[in-house]
């Protein structure tokens, strides 16, 4: 869509409040999006709009807004129209919004002209974010080695630029606060391991004005891989670089998401000892968030980088990766392909469990 187009003059009804959950990536976004998606009707009972029919509509709309290659033209205009027409508060959640430019943020504000627009940024400590983001790159076509990745984060390079574009919380918060005003930007810190499982959700609800204690649980999604399976994905990516994105998602990404993920209990997680340079960068990040004037829900001390227990990917031998590859091959041959949840058998999707205060630790 045209970056300059707005609907300010169309005279439509305006939302009471539009809350944009803009990320960051790997900060409990999948958990929050799943909870919102599974409870759309419950939110509607409170007058809160979470546009549907599924969260995928948010992804399509934001992809159109930022001009992604495979975007669906008109998806953002359609979503913006529904948001403006809703008489009460509305929530959009998509982490691709986080790093957009100030110019694009102004476009979002203008496209929702007349509706108060606020942003909420969920932020996790960099110690846990680094291995999580590295793994995410391996699940999405990249093949950076662990040592190579860490070096790029410290000294520059493509991997480093991509990481800091998504994870430099001080810059993200600062841009949104510059355009919307600091009073309209909220920073929610992700609780540390061992905190009550519902705490992140409760903090988000405080910002969003959501009430209630009973929620339908969404199926688990975007779960982590063990370290050997993550390394295996990187090696596979090197050999299938010629695959078009739809084919990659259907075959390779699905292998990680629906097959290798089941080896989590048999493999060590990705371990990471926080280096001194990252602690310094984290301190600078926290100082920047404080200087932005944005409201903090939680505690900025929770952003002190934590060491992550597990295996150093650089020390994992080829045998562990071979074991993961053989197990994956055996699974695919036995099942006759890669089966998604709900596709034959009992599956894992679609079941709703109503829980009270028993959510998983969404920050991990």
């Amino acid at each position: 869509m045209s970056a300059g187009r707005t609907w300010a003059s169309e005279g439509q009804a305006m939302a009471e409040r539009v809350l944009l959950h803009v990320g960051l990536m790997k900060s409990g976004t999948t958990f929050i999006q799943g909870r919102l998606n599974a409870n759309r009707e419950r939110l509607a009972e409170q007058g809160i709009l979470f546009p549907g029919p599924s969260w995928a509509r948010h992804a399509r709309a934001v992809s159109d807004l930022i001009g992604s290659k495979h975007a669906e033209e008109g998806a953002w205009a359609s979503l913006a129209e529904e948001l403006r027409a809703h008489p009460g508060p509305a929530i959009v959640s998509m982490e691709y919004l986080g790093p957009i430019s100030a110019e694009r943020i102004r476009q979002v504000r203008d496209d929702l002209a007349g509706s108060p627009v606020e942003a909420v940024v969920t932020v996790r400590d960099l110690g846990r974010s680094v291995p999580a983001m590295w793994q995410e790159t391996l699940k999405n076509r990249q093949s950076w080695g662990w040592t190579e990745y860490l070096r790029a984060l410290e000294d520059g390079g493509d991997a480093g630029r991509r990481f800091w574009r998504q994870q430099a919380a001080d810059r993200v918060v600062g841009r949104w606060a510059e355009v919307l005003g600091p009073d309209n930007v909220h920073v929610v810190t992700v609780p540390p391991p061992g905190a009550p499982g519902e705490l992140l959700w409760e903090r988000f609800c405080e910002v969003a004005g959501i009430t209630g204690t009973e929620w339908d649980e969404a199926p688990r999604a975007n779960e982590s891989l063990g370290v050997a399976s993550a390394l295996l994905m990187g090696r596979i990516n090197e050999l299938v670089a010629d695959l078009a994105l739809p084919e990659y998602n259907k075959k390779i990404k699905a292998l990680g998401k629906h097959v290798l993920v089941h080896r989590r209990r048999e493999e060590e997680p990705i371990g990471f000892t926080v280096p001194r340079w990252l602690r310094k960068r984290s301190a600078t990040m926290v100082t920047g968030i404080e200087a932005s004037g944005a409201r903090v829900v939680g505690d900025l001390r929770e952003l002190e980088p934590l060491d992550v227990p597990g295996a150093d990917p650089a020390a994992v031998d080829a045998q562990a990766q071979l074991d993961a590859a053989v197990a994956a091959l055996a699974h695919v041959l036995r099942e006759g392909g890669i089966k998604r949840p709900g596709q034959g058998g009992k599956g894992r999707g679609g079941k709703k469990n109503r829980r009270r205060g028993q959510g998983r630790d969404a920050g991990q």
Side-chain angles (χ1 to χ4, degrees), residues 123 187 189 286-287 289-290 296-304:
V123 184
V187 174
T189 59
V286 169
T287 298
I289 293 173
E290 291 175 326
V296 176
V297 178
D299 192 333
L300 290 178
R301 290 175 296 182
E302 293 174 335
L303 300 185
E304 175 68 25

Side-chain angles (χ1 to χ4, degrees), residues 3-339:
R5 179 181 176 186
T6 68
W7 291 266
S9 62
E10 293 187 2
Q12 298 183 8
M14 301 302 174
E16 175 185 308
R17 176 200 192 206
V18 176
L19 181 67
L20 304 174
H21 178 210
V22 304
L24 306 175
M25 288 183 67
K26 313 309 295 182
S27 66
T29 50
T30 301
F31 165 68
I32 291 173
Q33 289 157 359
R35 180 68 68 85
L36 292 168
N37 196 58
N39 291 275
R40 184 173 284 101
E41 293 182 3
R42 287 175 173 271
L43 295 172
E45 291 172 358
Q46 299 182 32
I48 300 172
L49 170 69
F50 186 69
S54 72
W55 171 80
R57 185 172 176 215
H58 299 230
R60 289 193 299 270
V62 174
S63 293
D64 180 35
L65 171 72
I66 64 178
S68 294
K69 182 178 179 181
H70 299 282
E72 176 185 314
E73 187 174 357
W76 169 251
S78 172
L79 182 67
E81 181 179 7
E82 182 176 357
L83 295 172
R84 295 195 313 274
H86 181 66
I91 300 173
V92 173
S93 179
M94 183 42 188
E95 55 269 34
Y96 291 175
L97 285 168
I100 63 176
S101 66
E103 178 184 4
R104 192 71 78 185
I105 296 172
R106 282 189 284 272
Q107 180 195 338
V108 171
R109 180 196 60 193
D110 293 345
D111 287 349
L112 299 172
S115 301
V117 179
E118 300 178 30
V120 54
V121 187
T122 44
V123 184
R124 181 166 70 162
D125 72 274
L126 289 172
R128 288 183 290 169
S129 295
V130 167
M133 287 291 289
W134 175 64
Q135 179 181 145
E136 198 67 19
T137 71
L138 300 180
K139 291 157 68 176
N140 289 277
R141 310 193 77 173
Q142 299 301 331
S143 56
W144 291 306
W146 176 241
T147 302
E148 174 190 9
Y149 189 75
L150 294 181
R151 187 180 302 115
L153 265 56
E154 181 180 10
D155 299 330
D158 187 37
R161 286 190 293 272
R162 294 189 188 198
F163 178 89
W164 292 116
R165 182 173 183 271
Q166 293 287 348
Q167 295 295 323
D170 49 343
R171 301 174 195 167
V172 171
V173 173
R175 278 194 300 271
W176 282 91
E178 175 190 348
V179 176
L180 300 184
D183 291 343
N184 295 314
V185 178
H186 315 266
V187 174
V188 173
T189 59
V190 176
E198 290 291 298
L199 185 54
L200 176 60
W201 173 248
E202 290 170 358
R203 290 175 176 178
F204 182 84
C205 288
E206 179 182 336
V207 172
I210 298 171
T211 60
T213 57
E214 292 190 359
W215 305 99
D216 291 333
E217 288 294 321
R220 293 179 71 95
N222 201 23
E223 296 182 80
S224 298
L225 300 177
V227 63
S229 290
L231 289 165
L232 175 62
M233 287 292 291
R235 295 184 67 178
I236 293 173
N237 289 342
E238 292 179 334
L239 301 174
V240 297
D242 58 323
L243 281 182
L245 181 60
E247 283 297 297
Y248 178 87
N249 290 339
K250 180 180 178 181
K251 297 174 180 178
I252 311 304
K253 187 170 184 176
L255 180 72
K257 185 174 183 179
H258 302 298
V259 178
L260 290 172
V261 70
H262 299 307
R263 289 185 51 80
R264 289 182 66 190
R265 292 182 177 84
E266 301 174 45
E267 299 179 9
E268 290 191 84
I270 300 168
F272 180 48
T273 300
V274 179
R276 181 177 299 178
W277 67 264
L278 189 62
R279 295 193 183 280
K280 291 182 178 179
R281 177 66 185 87
S282 176
T284 300
M285 185 177 78
V286 169
T287 298
I289 293 173
E290 291 175 326
S292 73
R295 174 195 177 202
V296 176
V297 178
D299 192 333
L300 290 178
R301 290 175 296 182
E302 293 174 335
L303 300 185
E304 175 68 25
L306 299 175
D307 291 340
V308 180
D312 181 348
V316 175
D317 61 23
Q319 183 61 49
Q321 298 175 57
L322 176 61
D323 291 343
V326 170
L329 177 60
H331 178 98
V332 172
L333 292 174
R334 183 185 304 112
E335 297 294 328
I338 300 173
K339 293 186 178 180

